[in-house]
Amino acid sequence: MRLSVIRWIALVLLMAAPLAWADVATQAAANRYVGGQPSADDLQRLAASGVRHVINLRPAAEHTGYDESAAVAAEGMQYHTLPVAGAADISFANAQALDALLADIGDEPVLLHCASGNRVGALMALRAAMQGQDDEAAIAEGRRWGMTRLEPLVRQRLQEQDCLLATTSPC
């Protein structure tokens, strides 16, 4: 009887572990989580839940109030940064750089964040287009990853890319 109670408690704890940081990030794909700026406490919970990498899209000028890189390292995770400061940084070049980071990380669990998830979603939309998805599917992918206010800009980038690739008519 006592063993059964212990198993139930263990099961409840295992089921609750991902929920312990659900307010910080959402799972966008297998081992891929997206969110806004995590606190140092959030990083501790994420590490305890198995996240091994953090990709920060915020530039240094966006102060977080603590040394995120040091906090990530203190939790045994690896810290990566890809500064996306403004509209000019929502680009296929940065989407390609993010794709390379994700390829290097492989299947290990990773949190991708900016202040809100909006920039993450924008780059993931461009990444989806680079991988052959049509514009609407790429936009849907961006939304799934947190894109909101940057959608008009992403649509513009997709249209510019379509124009560059068009061989029959000018845009």
Side-chain angles (χ1 to χ4, degrees):
M1 176 73 171
R2 182 163 189 216
L3 186 58
S4 179
V5 171
I6 292 172
R7 285 185 182 159
W8 272 105
I9 291 171
L11 179 62
V12 168
L13 290 174
L14 282 173
M15 290 172 56
L19 300 177
W21 50 271
D23 59 326
V24 178
T26 57
Q27 187 168 4
N31 288 328
R32 302 294 191 245
Y33 305 92
V34 62
Q37 177 62 52
S39 68
D41 289 341
D42 295 333
L43 293 172
Q44 187 176 38
R45 290 186 296 167
L46 289 162
S49 296
V51 172
R52 296 291 164 243
H53 298 267
V54 173
I55 299 176
N56 180 3
L57 298 188
R58 297 182 79 179
E62 291 182 28
H63 301 288
T64 60
Y66 71 101
D67 184 343
E68 182 177 340
S69 175
V72 167
E75 296 302 329
M77 298 183 288
Q78 293 185 16
Y79 184 73
H80 312 270
T81 184
L82 176 61
V84 177
D89 291 335
I90 304 298
S91 66
F92 282 97
N94 277 335
Q96 188 170 18
L98 180 57
D99 186 59
L101 270 173
L102 291 170
D104 287 345
I105 289 169
D107 291 333
E108 292 187 27
V110 58
L111 168 69
L112 296 90
H113 82 84
C114 52
S116 66
N118 191 31
R119 286 174 271 190
V120 174
L123 289 187
M124 294 305 277
L126 296 180
R127 179 179 180 250
M130 288 172 23
Q131 293 173 341
Q133 292 187 24
D134 65 42
D135 289 0
E136 290 309 311
I139 291 293
E141 182 71 357
R143 287 181 188 148
R144 194 168 69 79
W145 281 86
M147 180 178 65
T148 55
R149 298 177 319 277
L150 288 172
E151 183 175 331
L153 178 63
V154 169
R155 287 185 180 280
Q156 178 185 340
R157 296 288 189 264
L158 293 172
Q159 184 177 6
E160 291 167 357
Q161 184 72 5
D162 290 345
C163 287
L164 288 174
L165 298 175
T167 57
T168 57
S169 65
C171 294

